[in-house]
């Protein structure tokens, strides 16, 4: 068939991979940071000129990188909202990331529709500060003139696809990206324009949601552009996730997502019901405290880095001599305890050693993520295999404890640009369908990610005992925290 490209426009950079359409082998790659003017040491800005994404895209594609490419797929950061006026010009810079300015707006929206349950039933998620629907509410309250001028709503991958196609009259998105907006329901596959009006104060034009294997269009040069999708969905597609697979992502905060056959409405708000890039669903559960709990412990113990913390933890044993850490250092979302603090329980003279505290930090973090997995399992989501992502996944203490605490096979993929690879795979799918060589219901089969596979083995019973120790402390400290 030839070669295709996938580009991932993340919050900080553009990454492009050029892949063989039959095997998915990466043939060439390009990279460029976004030219965003952020002072050294300053936080990433919440407002970004989307032209910066085009500039880095052009730089990453330099040197003939795309020569011979027949189709391009686009992955981009989620929750980046680009409000356009009736002429297609940006009303203001794109609103990106988990914008703390919108926290009050999220609470306003929850109340305006009648509570968390009403939102869960409407669109499968409860408004959070990062979501486009919440940013619309903030815009209406804080920048009313800009809100009045807003006529079209796009997300980052929608806007990039539109630009690549030469800004046609028709604007498109995919179900994966749409499912994170807060005004599209993964359960019904339809927009809720009334929620846009509730947030923005008036209706706005929304992009057409096209199918996973559909093409968004063709450039004047004849290059096919696929539907595109959000980074989470593209990474899942690049990893080759299927039914029975889950992903545990270890960042400062943590997330657990799994492939499922249907959308899940969760009245507690712990599950965000996203759609994937294939026609399936990706329910997601987030914890606020993952690697930040490890970093805090390393600082407390005067250790230079997480590798030193891992080495120290390996000198302890499963159960940390009875020491249990509830790692709710920033409050917590799973369970919903926004104003709580962390807890260290089981202090005895014999447990008050640095290695036991180090081990308790790893076990506390992983048990918190196991709680999130159990939220999904409790709703009928099958979890046979768990992909562990993030730099902390390489730590020996994580790899030693994760299989026994999660109670499943753990796969640690080699680091790669999975979102860009997923975007390329989507491009190959759309290209194959357009040429009549692929079924629109079945994506191309690409070689799986190179990975290390870890089994719980004989330590499963030990892991269950450690989990029970954690659960006992959690229930004693926060009784009924997981009751709806």
């Amino acid at each position: 068939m030839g070669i295709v490209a996938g580009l991932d426009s993340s919050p900080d950079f553009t990454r492009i991979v050029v892949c063989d359409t039959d095997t998915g082998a990466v043939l060439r790659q390009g990279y460029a940071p976004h030219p965003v003017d952020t002072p050294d040491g300053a936080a990433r800005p919440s407002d970004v000129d989307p032209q910066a994404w085009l500039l880095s895209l052009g730089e990453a594609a330099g040197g003939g990188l795309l020569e011979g490419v027949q189709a391009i797929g686009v992955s981009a950061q989620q929750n980046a909202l680009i409000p356009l006026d009736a002429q297609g010009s940006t009303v203001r810079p794109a609103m990106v990331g988990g914008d703390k300015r919108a926290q009050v707006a999220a609470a306003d929206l929850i109340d305006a529709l009648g509570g968390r349950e009403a939102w869960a039933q409407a669109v499968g998620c409860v408004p959070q500060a990062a979501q486009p629907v919440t940013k619309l509410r903030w815009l209406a309250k804080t920048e009313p003139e800009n809100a009045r001028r807003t006529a079209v709503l796009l997300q980052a991958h929608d806007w990039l696809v539109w630009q690549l196609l030469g800004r046609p009259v028709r604007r498109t998105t995919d179900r994966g990206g749409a499912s994170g907006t807060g005004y599209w329901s993964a359960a019904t596959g339809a927009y809720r324009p009334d929620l846009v009006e509730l947030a923005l104060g008036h209706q706005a034009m929304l992009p057409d949601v096209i199918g996973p294997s559909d093409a968004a269009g063709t450039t004047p040069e004849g290059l096919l552009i696929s539907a595109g999708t959000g980074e989470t969905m593209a990474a899942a597609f690049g990893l080759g996730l299927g039914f029975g697979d889950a992903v545990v992502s270890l960042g400062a905060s943590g997330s657990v997502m799994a492939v499922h056959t249907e959308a899940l409405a969760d009245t507690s708000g712990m599950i965000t019901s996203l759609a994937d890039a294939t026609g399936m669903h990706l329910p997601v559960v987030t914890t606020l405290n993952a690697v930040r709990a490890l970093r805090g412990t390393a600082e407390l113990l005067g250790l230079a880095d997480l590798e030193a913390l891992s080495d120290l933890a390996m000198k302890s044993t499963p159960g940390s001599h009875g020491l249990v850490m509830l790692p709710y250092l920033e409050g917590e979302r799973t369970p919903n305890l926004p104003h709580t603090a962390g807890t260290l329980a089981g202090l005895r003279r014999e447990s008050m050693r640095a290695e036991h505290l180090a081990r308790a930090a790893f076990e506390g973090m992983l048990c918190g993520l196991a709680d999130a997995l159990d939220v999904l399992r409790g709703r009928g989501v099958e979890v046979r295999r768990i992909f562990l992502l993030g730099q902390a996944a390489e730590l020996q203490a994580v790899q030693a404890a994760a299989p026994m605490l999660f109670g499943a096979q753990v796969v640690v993929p080699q680091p790669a640009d999975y979102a860009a690879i997923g975007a390329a795979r989507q491009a190959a799918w759309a290209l194959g369908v357009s040429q009549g060589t692929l079924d629109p219901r079945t994506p191309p089969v690409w070689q799986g990610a190179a990975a290390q596979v870890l089994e719980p083995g004989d330590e499963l019973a030990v892991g269950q005992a450690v989990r029970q120790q954690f659960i006992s402390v959690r229930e004693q400290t926060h009784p009924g925290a997981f009751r709806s």
Side-chain angles (χ1 to χ4, degrees), residues 149-244:
R149 291 176 54 216
T150 298
V152 183
L153 301 176
L154 296 180
Q155 293 190 91
H157 85 266
D158 311 334
W159 188 85
L160 286 166
V161 165
W162 185 55
Q163 296 291 331
L164 289 172
L165 290 173
R167 298 164 59 99
V169 173
R170 186 193 188 208
R171 301 171 181 91
T172 62
T173 190
D174 87 306
R175 58 195 294 279
S179 67
T181 59
Y183 43 81
W184 186 87
S185 167
T188 64
Y191 281 117
R192 287 289 301 266
D194 58 314
L195 299 183
V196 173
E197 187 166 356
L198 180 70
L200 185 61
H202 61 86
Q203 293 290 339
M205 186 176 292
L206 303 170
D208 294 343
V209 180
I210 61 177
S213 62
D214 291 345
T218 305
T219 67
E221 299 77 27
L223 197 61
L224 184 140
I225 308 294
S226 64
T229 195
E231 272 188 319
T232 297
M233 299 78 189
F237 199 39
L239 281 165
L241 297 191
F243 186 71

Side-chain angles (χ1 to χ4, degrees), residues 4-8 15-19 71-75 420-421 423-425 427:
V4 292
L7 71 87
D8 176 38
R15 182 92 63 183
I16 301 177
V17 297
V18 176
C19 298
I72 294 179
V74 177
S75 155
I421 291 168
R425 189 179 177 206

Side-chain angles (χ1 to χ4, degrees), residues 430-444:
L431 180 65
V433 169
S434 75
Q435 295 174 336
T437 57
L438 287 177
D439 188 321
R441 297 161 299 181
T442 309

